[in-house]
Amino acid sequence: VKMRWILIAYAAISILGLMIMLSRENVYVVIALIIGFLLLGHRELWSLIRYRRLPVIDERVKNNLTSAMRLTGSFFFIASIVLILLLRFNVFRDTPTGLIISGQLVVLGIVYLVGYHYYDRVQPNLGERATHWLKICLITAGLSLSTIALAITLHNLVSYLFGVEEAFFFILGLLMAPAVLAVSLLGSLTIFIRGLFGPTGQGEIQ
Amino acid sequence: VKTRMKEYRARAGLTQEKLAEIVGVRRETIIFLEKGKYNPSLKLAYSIARALDASIEGIFIFDDEQI
């Protein structure tokens, strides 16, 4: 019952946000809110259309929702800090603020969706070993992404300070780290998909 | 947790859908429980045991090493 009220409150806040943004003619945010709403509530909407009732929110679903929301919250916190820093250094010069906010909203919806499916299907389907490899792949992806940013900054710094075209950080930031990033992302995606379409919960014969 | 839920459910003549309805969970949750891929709360384990007319320890077999 509590979870239902949370969903109703979420829908009401979304509609309110939608109306405010519409009145301010901020079309990007309105589109993002609708996409975000569809991504977050697709199961509930589908159940309402098909069965004319909200799906049962049992303890397993509740745990998965809580974990996914926690993940999305952490992502929102980190993404906001990064976004503020990027805005502070004027990285998005001519990009409308509405477009930036809407991009963040859509990404949040996607993070929630991926998170929910991870806790709902992927994690139970994967063994300990596969889960361990998924963690390694994701950590490697995160580290290589940070390495790209760091290497580019260091390359520019060294080139500026010494007046020479620095090669090591250039190769690291533009060749090696992106290659590691691509491999680790591909690995994560492969393990994730394997878990998503694993044996559990796929139309079991009763 | 290893489980004998499927066996007990078949004995009780219940479908996954029906059992899910009785204990107030989704059918998917019953599937996860039967495959031993979800550890139920004590409340849910009790509801299932009552619906299947069995004891909790008869349905769910706890591995001492995992506790």
Side-chain angles (χ1 to χ4, degrees):
Chain A
V1 178
K2 194 179 159 193
M3 195 55 84
R4 271 184 197 182
W5 280 109
I6 292 172
L7 287 171
I8 291 166
Y10 163 73
I13 292 165
S14 297
I15 291 165
L16 192 71
L18 210 73
M19 286 162 76
I20 294 167
M21 291 302 162
L22 267 175
S23 69
R24 295 198 58 176
E25 295 177 358
N26 221 332
V27 187
Y28 294 126
V29 185
V30 171
I31 295 168
L33 272 172
I34 293 169
I35 295 172
F37 185 79
L38 291 173
L39 284 173
L40 265 90
H42 71 289
R43 271 168 288 108
E44 285 71 25
L45 285 171
W46 173 246
S47 182
L48 276 174
I49 293 165
R50 197 171 168 193
Y51 306 108
R52 292 183 184 183
R53 64 181 161 88
L54 276 171
V56 179
I57 299 170
D58 59 36
E59 59 173 52
R60 188 183 63 86
V61 178
K62 217 182 281 180
N63 289 343
N64 295 338
L65 281 171
T66 312
S67 305
M69 279 176 183
R70 204 173 290 152
L71 180 81
T72 313
S74 311
F75 181 83
F76 176 71
F77 181 71
I78 296 165
S80 298
I81 292 172
V82 173
L83 208 62
I84 289 165
L85 283 172
L86 292 174
L87 285 168
R88 170 72 185 79
F89 292 108
N90 209 13
V91 176
F92 309 109
R93 275 176 208 107
D94 304 316
T95 318
T97 318
L99 189 64
I100 299 164
I101 296 168
S102 59
Q104 197 188 12
L105 282 173
V106 173
V107 171
L108 276 180
I110 295 168
V111 168
Y112 168 80
L113 200 67
V114 171
Y116 183 82
H117 280 96
Y118 172 75
Y119 294 113
D120 189 55
R121 288 194 186 280
V122 179
Q123 202 181 34
N125 277 329
L126 294 176
E128 264 179 42
R129 213 173 141 202
T131 311
H132 176 71
W133 275 107
L134 183 62
K135 273 181 193 165
I136 288 176
C137 283
L138 286 172
I139 290 168
T140 313
L143 284 176
S144 49
L145 203 65
S146 316
T147 309
I148 292 172
L150 197 72
I152 290 170
T153 313
L154 286 172
H155 166 77
N156 289 336
L157 191 74
V158 171
S159 300
Y160 172 76
L161 286 176
F162 300 103
V164 286
E165 199 54 43
E166 193 278 328
F168 175 74
F169 289 120
F170 181 82
I171 294 168
L172 183 71
L174 288 178
L175 288 171
M176 284 164 71
V180 175
L181 179 69
V183 171
S184 52
L185 281 179
L186 199 70
S188 314
L189 201 67
T190 311
I191 300 170
F192 190 89
I193 290 170
R194 218 184 78 196
L196 197 63
F197 298 105
T200 309
Q202 298 292 316
E204 173 94 343
I205 299 162
Q206 293 185 20
Chain B
V1 173
K2 286 176 187 168
T3 170
R4 293 173 67 196
M5 233 177 99
K6 203 171 180 175
E7 192 187 317
Y8 274 92
R9 182 174 58 79
R11 209 182 289 171
L14 293 171
T15 60
Q16 288 173 340
E17 189 89 55
K18 190 70 195 164
L19 179 62
E21 204 185 308
I22 294 168
V23 296
V25 297
R26 288 187 189 186
R27 199 186 125 230
E28 275 180 334
T29 305
I30 300 293
I31 296 169
F32 277 87
L33 283 164
E34 287 188 354
K35 286 190 182 283
K37 296 199 169 184
Y38 176 65
N39 294 340
S41 67
L42 187 60
K43 192 184 163 199
L44 180 58
Y46 179 75
S47 302
I48 291 167
R50 204 161 63 165
L52 299 177
D53 198 20
S55 62
I56 293 178
E57 58 271 34
I59 299 174
F60 301 102
I61 303 137
F62 289 93
D63 187 352
D64 281 347
E65 284 177 8
Q66 287 184 343
I67 297 172

